[in-house]
């Protein structure tokens, strides 16, 4: 079955809105794991707008699965990651003014820097993934800088304004997954995935893991984290079954 990584950033967003101790992403991460999440993702942003270093430290001591630390490839963040040693690090582009991660990392444009970063993180036994747009030149660059995992940005697919654009974006992702697999790269995907659009992505042969945050945290407000994660796993399972049976949703 395709794996689900739950991103708990937006639990911390609510906490930071009031500067309180609650809600605690650590607690919600434990509930997500209990419901079947196979990893927990947090994005420690440079401006610390949601996740704090304290969250990363406690999650590392409490979660039962893997911690996937999303971060910019800056000196400060790489040093912190080498100190924290999460199982996985996903390198993402970061701009202070953005609402969320708005595009993939330009690996091709920053090869020398990324070779050093991937090497440093790998030396600390951290598995590195690069968050990229589903494009061949970025896949090749990711491979060339030493990454064994890529996470394809599904935002354009998720936010497509028309069914035709959505279909085209889906085709791009499918093609890119195939290209990455041919190069021996492990494929994850995420961004903007929700209950209504996850099935077609989960149906793509070759994707091993989806990282999903906003939609799950939003549903958790209404039905609780346990139900929200189980509902997402069910939506993914339907897509995965279609993958096995060759039927495309
Ligand atoms: N993957 C990456 C690399 C991201 O930056 C994000 C957003 O933090 C996600 C997945 C999850 O996106 P969403 O919150 O839209 O599900």
């Amino acid at each position: 079955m395709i794996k689900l990584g739950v991103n708990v950033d937006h639990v911390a967003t609510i906490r930071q809105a009031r500067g309180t101790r609650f809600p605690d992403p650590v607690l919600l991460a434990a509930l997500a794991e209990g419901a079947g999440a196979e990893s927990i993702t947090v994005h420690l942003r440079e401006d610390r707008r949601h996740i704090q270093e304290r969250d990363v430290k406690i999650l590392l001591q409490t979660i039962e699965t893997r911690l996937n630390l999303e971060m910019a490839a800056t000196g400060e963040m790489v040093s912190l990651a080498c100190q924290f040693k999460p199982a996985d690090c996903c390198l993402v582009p970061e701009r202070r003014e953005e609402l969320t991660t708005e595009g993939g990392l330009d690996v091709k444009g920053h090869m020398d820097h990324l070779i050093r970063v991937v090497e440093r993180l790998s030396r600390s036994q951290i598995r590195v993934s690069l968050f990229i747009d589903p494009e061949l030149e970025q896949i090749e660059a990711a491979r060339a800088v030493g990454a064994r995992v890529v996470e394809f940005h599904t935002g354009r697919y998720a936010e497509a304004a028309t069914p035709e654009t959505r279909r085209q974006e889906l085709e791009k992702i499918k093609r890119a997954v195939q290209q990455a697999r041919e190069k021996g790269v492990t494929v994850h995907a995420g961004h903007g995935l929700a209950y209504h659009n996850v099935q077609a992505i989960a149906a793509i042969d070759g994707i091993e893991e989806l990282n999903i945050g906003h939609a799950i945290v939003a549903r958790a407000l209404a039905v609780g984290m346990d139900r929200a994660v189980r509902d997402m796993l069910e939506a993914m399972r339907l897509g995965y079954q279609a993958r096995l049976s060759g039927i495309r949703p």
Side-chain angles (χ1 to χ4, degrees):
M1 168 66 179
I2 185 167
K3 293 176 187 158
L4 172 63
V6 174
N7 178 318
V8 292
D9 289 353
H10 295 306
V11 177
T13 301
I14 300 173
R15 177 189 62 192
Q16 297 310 114
R18 284 295 181 92
T20 48
R21 292 188 172 192
F22 55 86
D24 192 339
V26 174
L27 171 63
L28 277 293
L31 293 173
E33 280 189 325
E38 298 210 41
S39 61
I40 298 298
T41 297
V42 288
H43 184 174
L44 186 63
R45 296 186 74 104
E46 267 187 289
D47 62 9
R48 307 292 195 269
R49 71 171 71 155
H50 38 54
I51 292 296
Q52 308 296 308
E53 283 170 46
R54 164 267 183 210
D55 301 326
V56 181
K57 284 182 197 157
I58 300 178
L59 282 168
L60 281 166
Q61 291 167 18
T62 53
I63 66 170
E64 303 278 356
T65 59
R66 302 172 71 87
L67 186 72
N68 175 30
L69 179 64
E70 273 179 30
M71 57 182 227
T74 60
E76 182 212 1
M77 293 310 308
V78 174
S79 296
L80 277 175
C82 291
Q83 197 184 307
F84 291 148
K85 296 194 192 327
D88 299 298
C89 254
C90 180
L91 299 178
V92 301
E94 201 174 292
R95 287 187 294 119
R96 271 171 196 269
E97 63 275 19
E98 69 189 359
L99 281 179
T100 179
T101 316
E102 285 168 3
L105 195 63
D106 177 14
V107 184
K108 189 156 181 261
H110 301 89
M111 300 276 290
D112 292 345
H113 175 64
L114 287 170
I115 285 172
R116 285 194 295 274
V117 170
V118 172
E119 211 251 328
R120 239 185 110 191
L121 293 170
S122 304
R123 244 188 291 130
S124 287
Q125 317 301 327
I126 299 168
R127 184 176 70 152
V128 183
S129 83
L130 302 181
F131 186 52
I132 59 174
D133 289 324
E135 292 166 4
L136 180 59
E137 60 176 19
Q138 296 297 345
I139 299 166
E140 286 173 343
R143 191 78 183 80
V145 301
R148 297 285 172 273
V149 185
V150 294
E151 179 170 326
F152 286 130
H153 194 309
T154 49
R156 284 216 187 88
Y157 156 78
E159 287 145 27
T162 65
E164 180 51 21
T165 320
R166 176 163 298 197
R167 197 192 58 74
Q168 286 167 1
E169 294 299 332
L170 189 62
E171 284 308 313
K172 264 191 222 166
I173 296 168
K174 282 184 193 166
R175 205 174 322 125
V177 172
Q178 205 182 334
Q179 288 162 339
R181 293 302 303 131
E182 280 164 13
K183 295 181 190 315
V185 176
T186 298
V187 180
H188 299 171
H191 202 94
L193 295 179
Y195 298 86
H196 65 281
N197 64 20
V198 75
Q199 216 178 313
I201 297 291
I204 300 174
D205 213 10
I207 299 185
E208 287 193 13
E209 179 180 306
L210 300 180
N211 283 307
I212 308 178
H214 189 256
I216 292 176
V217 172
R219 182 174 290 216
L221 292 175
V223 301
M225 189 53 125
D226 186 85
R227 182 79 259 158
V229 170
R230 289 179 197 276
D231 287 351
M232 184 57 80
L233 284 168
E234 176 59 14
M236 287 166 57
R237 195 182 59 76
L238 292 174
Y240 190 72
Q241 269 183 350
R243 186 195 292 198
L244 297 181
S245 64
I247 301 163
R248 292 285 164 250

